[in-house]
């Protein structure tokens, strides 16, 4: 009776882009029900994509997924070409896993003429052809602004997942897990994440304008004597995190670490956080990020204070929804 009540797992055929191959293999290792399939990613002499979906005939009637990474404009077109082709191959259902929605920070207009590219990207994705099983399922992790779910049309079903449960598992493994305080670098991060971290004391920072500069200040909470973990959805240059660390240390934090779901780090800005070998004080004890941005994963591998927490198990679970 108990077994019959359990939901029967479906077999999912998982295609992937080149830079997500390592993550795809980890996802497949998490479940016997996920089978990897490949794409031939080739180019014509003029540089335009020459693509081939392997086993195209065999995927008819099967549940199919594609693991994407829109890490730069240069790779988006070739992946979209595959994404638009797969649902038309008579598959039972189609799921697009896009762990990082790259234009999410460009979601509003501040003056006439601004282009909200988050909306543009959502409109493109919303036009993925419907498969035999219905609209495309779209899996995204920690999208920058929650209202962006309303940017998507009715041809896709967005499933917004989060990396916070993985962070909480890691925090529970720390020797000072009872002394953890969560810090939010601004009110936006607090709005996004505080309900998932209610069991931890919190600190909120804020940016105030002083002349031409924006200075980070402590808005509320007490970090004194605690291991403070700054939590946000993404990092670019890292300037805000560094300023937050200084403020928290000045207010008595014994350690400061950071977690972001998406470590973008343009122009190798991750180097600002590396532990120096000269024995100088380490600003960040740990810096956790996920493997949603594969170029960053390769860059920071085995470099303290960075630790990469894989989304593979979470993605494997999402593919069974």
């Amino acid at each position: 009776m108990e077994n019959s009540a359990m939901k029967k797992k479906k077999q999912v055929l998982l295609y992937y882009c080149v830079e997500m191959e390592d993550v795809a293999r980890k996802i497949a290792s998490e479940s016997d029900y996920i089978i990897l399939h490949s794409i031939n990613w080739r180019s014509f002499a003029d540089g335009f994509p020459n693509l081939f979906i392997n086993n195209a005939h065999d995927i008819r009637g099967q549940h199919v997924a594609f693991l994407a990474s829109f890490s730069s404009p240069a790779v988006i077109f070739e992946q979209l070409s595959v994404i638009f082709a797969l649902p038309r191959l008579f598959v039972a259902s189609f799921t697009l896993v896009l762990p990082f929605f790259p234009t999410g920070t460009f979601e509003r207009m501040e003056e006439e003429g601004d282009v909200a590219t988050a909306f543009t990207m959502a409109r493109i994705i919303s036009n993925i052809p419907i498969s035999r099983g219905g609209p495309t399922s779209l899996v995204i992790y920690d999208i920058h602004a929650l209202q962006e779910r309303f940017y998507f049309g009715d041809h896709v079903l967005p499933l917004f997942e989060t990396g916070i449960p993985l962070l909480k598992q890691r925090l529970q493994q720390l020797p000072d897990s009872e002394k953890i305080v969560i810090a939010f670098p601004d009110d936006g991060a607090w709005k996004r994440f505080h309900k998932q971290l209610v069991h931890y004391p919190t600190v909120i920072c804020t940016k105030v304008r002083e002349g031409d500069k924006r200075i980070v200040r402590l808005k509320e909470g007490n970090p004194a004597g605690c291991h403070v973990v700054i939590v946000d959805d993404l990092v670019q240059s890292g300037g805000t995190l560094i300023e937050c660390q200084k403020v928290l240390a000045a207010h008595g934090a014994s350690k400061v670490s950071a977690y972001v779901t998406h470590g973008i780090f343009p122009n190798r800005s991750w180097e600002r956080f590396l532990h120096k070998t000269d024995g100088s004080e380490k600003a960040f004890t740990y810096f956790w990020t996920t493997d949603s941005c594969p170029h960053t994963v390769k860059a920071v591998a085995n470099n303290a204070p960075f630790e990469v927490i894989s989304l593979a198990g979470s993605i494997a679970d999402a593919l069974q929804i």
Side-chain angles (χ1 to χ4, degrees):
M1 184 72 177
E2 199 172 300
N3 286 339
S4 62
M6 289 177 64
K7 181 183 176 184
K8 184 179 179 182
K9 289 198 171 184
K10 61 186 178 185
Q11 180 175 276
V12 179
L13 309 182
L14 179 62
Y15 288 89
Y16 51 89
C17 67
V18 174
E19 60 192 61
M20 285 301 240
E21 181 174 355
D22 289 346
V23 180
R25 294 192 180 284
K26 288 179 183 176
I27 294 169
S29 71
E30 294 282 341
S31 171
D32 293 336
Y33 292 91
I34 297 175
I35 311 298
L36 293 185
H37 282 238
S38 63
I39 308 284
N40 289 347
W41 302 94
R42 303 167 301 193
S43 297
F44 291 109
D46 61 3
F48 276 87
N50 176 15
L51 309 169
F52 185 80
I53 298 171
N54 293 307
N55 309 110
H57 192 275
D58 298 336
I59 69 176
R60 292 179 177 181
Q62 303 291 319
H63 298 288
V64 173
F66 182 78
L67 178 62
S69 174
F70 291 176
S71 59
S72 73
V75 300
I76 292 176
F77 177 67
E78 64 180 15
Q79 291 181 56
L80 283 174
S81 300
V82 170
I83 290 164
F84 274 62
L86 283 169
R88 300 175 67 92
L89 294 174
F90 295 92
V91 300
S93 71
F94 180 62
T95 300
L96 171 60
V97 182
L98 181 64
F100 173 49
F101 186 70
T103 58
T105 52
F106 308 107
E107 86 286 5
R108 60 183 181 269
M109 295 173 58
E110 295 184 354
E111 63 175 313
E112 194 67 35
D114 284 341
V115 177
T117 52
F119 184 54
T120 308
M121 183 65 72
R123 290 176 71 187
I124 293 171
I125 292 173
S126 296
N127 281 285
I128 295 172
I130 293 176
S131 70
R132 291 177 73 182
T136 292
S137 299
L138 170 65
V139 181
I140 296 177
Y141 281 79
D142 291 316
I143 197 164
H144 182 68
L146 290 177
Q147 69 266 22
E148 291 176 46
R149 72 172 61 233
F150 303 112
Y151 291 4
F152 296 94
D154 294 338
H155 286 186
V156 293
L157 300 174
L159 174 63
F160 293 117
E161 294 286 351
T162 178
I164 295 299
L166 302 174
L167 168 66
K168 289 163 75 171
Q169 289 176 18
R170 183 65 183 95
L171 294 181
Q172 290 166 6
Q173 297 167 359
L174 297 177
D176 56 357
S177 60
E178 300 300 316
K179 298 287 287 180
I180 297 294
V181 168
I182 301 297
F184 301 108
D186 52 38
D187 287 329
W190 179 84
K191 289 176 183 176
R192 275 191 295 276
F193 296 121
H194 80 278
K195 289 185 178 179
Q196 300 176 64
L197 294 160
V198 291
H199 299 299
Y200 292 97
T202 58
V203 168
I204 303 175
C205 296
T206 188
K207 293 177 184 175
V208 297
R209 188 170 294 281
E210 290 188 1
D212 295 333
K213 295 182 179 179
R214 296 187 73 187
I215 309 297
V216 175
R217 294 277 184 258
L218 189 65
K219 181 180 178 182
E220 60 182 78
N222 180 17
C226 296
H227 183 174
V228 183
V229 180
I230 306 169
V231 173
D232 210 349
D233 61 322
L234 58 83
V235 60
Q236 296 264 10
S237 69
T240 298
L241 293 179
I242 289 171
E243 292 305 310
C244 283
Q245 185 276 331
K246 292 176 182 177
V247 170
L248 294 166
H251 283 79
S254 59
K255 298 177 186 174
V256 178
S257 296
Y259 166 85
V260 296
T261 302
H262 311 297
I264 304 165
F265 293 119
N267 304 315
R268 298 175 63 88
S269 55
W270 53 269
E271 293 179 341
R272 307 173 70 183
F273 296 89
L274 292 179
H275 287 174
K276 295 181 173 60
T277 56
D278 59 5
S280 59
E281 185 179 351
K282 299 173 176 60
F284 287 84
T285 304
Y286 298 99
F287 197 124
W288 294 290
T289 187
T290 76
D291 44 7
S292 68
C293 300
H295 292 310
T296 296
V297 171
K298 291 180 180 178
V300 304
N302 303 314
N303 282 315
F306 289 99
E307 283 187 13
V308 177
I309 302 173
S310 182
L311 296 173
S314 178
I315 293 172
D317 290 342
L319 290 175
Q320 289 297 329
I321 294 175

